[in-house]
Amino acid sequence: MAHKKWLACLGVVFLLGGCASTPAPVFYTLDNGIEQPGPQGVAPSIVITQTNLPELIDRPQLVTRMANNQVRINEQQRWGEPLRRAIPRVLAMELGRKLDTGRIVSVPIDAQRIDADFRLSLEVQRLEVVEGRGADADIVWRLESRHGKVVLGRSVLHETERSAEPSALIAAQRRALAVIAAEIADQVRRWQEAAK
């Protein structure tokens, strides 16, 4: 009987030791958390109404694409917020900087009644970190003007980052979103010029 109690106690010690050795997860955000000077302009207004993501990255863990069609789902490295909310929010911030306007917001799909000069929806094909290479982005976007004119665009790019540090790879993803924001901003400017 004493032998069984000793074994049970030993099992509890091993179990507690295993729990104690598991590192706590680290949480990341897609933005850099640095306050930027506010935009000075007032136009145009853009509402980002919808963002769809592939299931591969629509999860709390950071996902790294590796060689031989493999991916690593990093259980100890996690997003602080869902990417389906973070991507449009960061894109809205970048668009605000490019167009010098504070009238760009991202909202859930059920908040479609917001009045805006432009409506933007995103279909994310890829926004991945690739081991040893950086970040790959492929986003199809649909921009609709207040008057019903629509343009479909697709931004495909690669941001090089040799570091394997998660924060450096996330910074590469953020840089990719800044480039995509610049492409969308160019389309908005073209429409504004044509309307003059």
Side-chain angles (χ1 to χ4, degrees):
M1 190 69 157
H3 181 68
K4 287 182 181 178
K5 286 182 182 177
W6 183 83
L7 284 176
C9 288
L10 188 61
V12 169
V13 168
F14 280 126
L15 182 63
L16 291 174
C19 291
S21 66
T22 303
V26 178
F27 293 91
Y28 297 90
T29 62
L30 193 54
D31 63 15
N32 58 13
I34 298 171
E35 285 293 324
Q36 301 287 342
Q40 303 302 309
V42 294
S45 59
I46 301 174
V47 60
I48 304 176
T49 60
Q50 180 177 358
T51 302
N52 294 319
L53 301 180
E55 289 184 18
L56 177 64
I57 63 171
D58 190 15
R59 62 181 70 236
Q61 303 94 338
L62 271 68
V63 177
T64 305
R65 186 169 288 280
M66 302 163 68
N68 301 321
N69 297 325
Q70 295 181 357
V71 294
R72 182 173 59 242
I73 298 174
N74 305 293
E75 291 295 337
Q76 301 308 315
Q77 297 164 353
R78 293 176 171 255
W79 292 109
E81 67 177 317
L83 275 182
R84 69 177 53 257
R85 295 284 185 250
I87 291 169
R89 184 177 53 75
V90 170
L91 199 60
M93 288 190 303
E94 292 294 339
L95 277 168
R97 280 197 273 276
K98 308 292 185 204
L99 295 169
D100 192 29
T101 178
R103 300 176 62 208
I104 301 178
V105 295
S106 63
V107 295
I109 190 171
D110 58 356
Q112 299 261 343
R113 294 181 183 164
I114 294 176
D115 185 46
D117 297 317
F118 298 96
R119 304 181 86 73
L120 176 65
S121 61
L122 308 169
E123 186 74 38
V124 178
Q125 308 291 310
R126 294 183 77 184
L127 185 62
E128 302 171 337
V129 294
V130 183
E131 190 173 62
R133 291 189 56 229
D136 287 337
D138 181 353
I139 297 181
V140 176
W141 45 271
R142 181 182 187 274
L143 186 65
E144 180 179 358
S145 74
R146 179 187 298 278
H147 306 295
K149 187 174 181 181
V150 174
V151 66
L152 293 175
R154 185 171 189 176
S155 301
V156 181
L157 60 122
H158 171 76
E159 280 292 320
T160 301
E161 178 56 64
R162 298 295 180 198
S163 172
E165 289 296 316
S167 56
L169 293 168
I170 291 168
Q173 288 179 307
R174 190 171 54 248
R175 291 194 304 271
L177 288 176
V179 172
I180 293 168
E183 293 178 5
I184 296 169
D186 284 345
Q187 179 61 50
V188 170
R189 287 191 198 98
R190 283 195 291 272
W191 276 356
Q192 288 182 304
E193 287 298 318
K196 287 181 179 177

